[in-house]
Amino acid sequence: GIAGHTNVSFQNNILLANDAFQCLRYDASTVTFAAHNYNSYINRLSDFSWVVGFNGGTTYNKADIPTWESNSITSEPLLVSEGVPYQATNFQLQFTSPAKNAGVALSPTFTDKAGVIRPQDGAWDIGAYEFLQTMSAPAHLTIFLGIP
């Protein structure tokens, strides 16, 4: 959880829970947010208590997230893989991820965890990695040369 911090900017994050606990828990008596939006929340076991502001804060269920953060996502982020062994590249976005191009521009221009400059496709992605579409060589390439 978050406690004892003021003017917290909390944007472009993926918060994923695989248990009955919250995606985000913060102490409302000691935390103030300067900005919070453009995040991806998913709890695979429950639709309740996704964000909990204890000590006087509000609890937000899955259906309530849009009232707390109007530009945040509450569907699967579609990461490359979450399986063991954990590797940095596992947490990159798939091509069809709803987090792709769904983030907010932060200043100054940043690079992602892999050093890729943001944004790549006109808008920032949510998460630690900016989606980078790469072109691969064809599996078989045949070249015909004309003989004069």
Side-chain angles (χ1 to χ4, degrees):
I2 303 171
H5 299 281
T6 58
N7 296 319
V8 174
S9 180
F10 192 74
Q11 301 178 107
N12 293 350
N13 298 287
I14 295 176
L15 296 97
L16 191 143
N18 281 319
D19 53 30
F21 295 101
Q22 305 88 23
C23 297
L24 175 64
R25 180 177 167 88
Y26 69 96
D27 184 342
S29 68
T30 64
V31 173
T32 59
F33 289 97
H36 62 88
N37 207 344
Y38 297 92
N39 294 301
S40 174
Y41 296 90
I42 188 73
N43 185 326
R44 295 190 178 120
L45 295 183
S46 173
D47 285 345
F48 303 101
S49 300
W50 281 25
V51 174
V52 175
F54 62 96
N55 287 335
T58 303
T59 295
Y60 297 93
N61 299 323
K62 177 181 181 178
D64 304 323
I65 295 293
T67 63
W68 192 56
E69 295 183 352
S70 61
N71 296 298
S72 289
I73 298 168
T74 58
S75 59
E76 282 289 339
L78 299 178
L79 303 174
V80 169
S81 172
E82 298 164 29
V84 177
Y86 294 114
Q87 297 175 1
T89 56
N90 290 1
F91 300 106
Q92 293 176 342
L93 303 175
Q94 294 180 30
F95 178 77
T96 56
S97 173
K100 201 172 106 179
N101 295 326
V104 63
L106 301 174
S107 181
T109 300
F110 291 97
T111 56
D112 72 0
K113 185 162 176 35
V116 175
I117 296 175
R118 294 180 185 254
Q120 282 294 308
D121 192 21
W124 284 51
D125 296 341
I126 293 175
Y129 293 95
E130 186 74 7
F131 180 80
L132 182 61
Q133 187 163 349
T134 58
M135 298 191 62
S136 58
H140 299 283
L141 179 63
T142 305
I143 299 174
F144 294 98
L145 299 174
I147 300 175

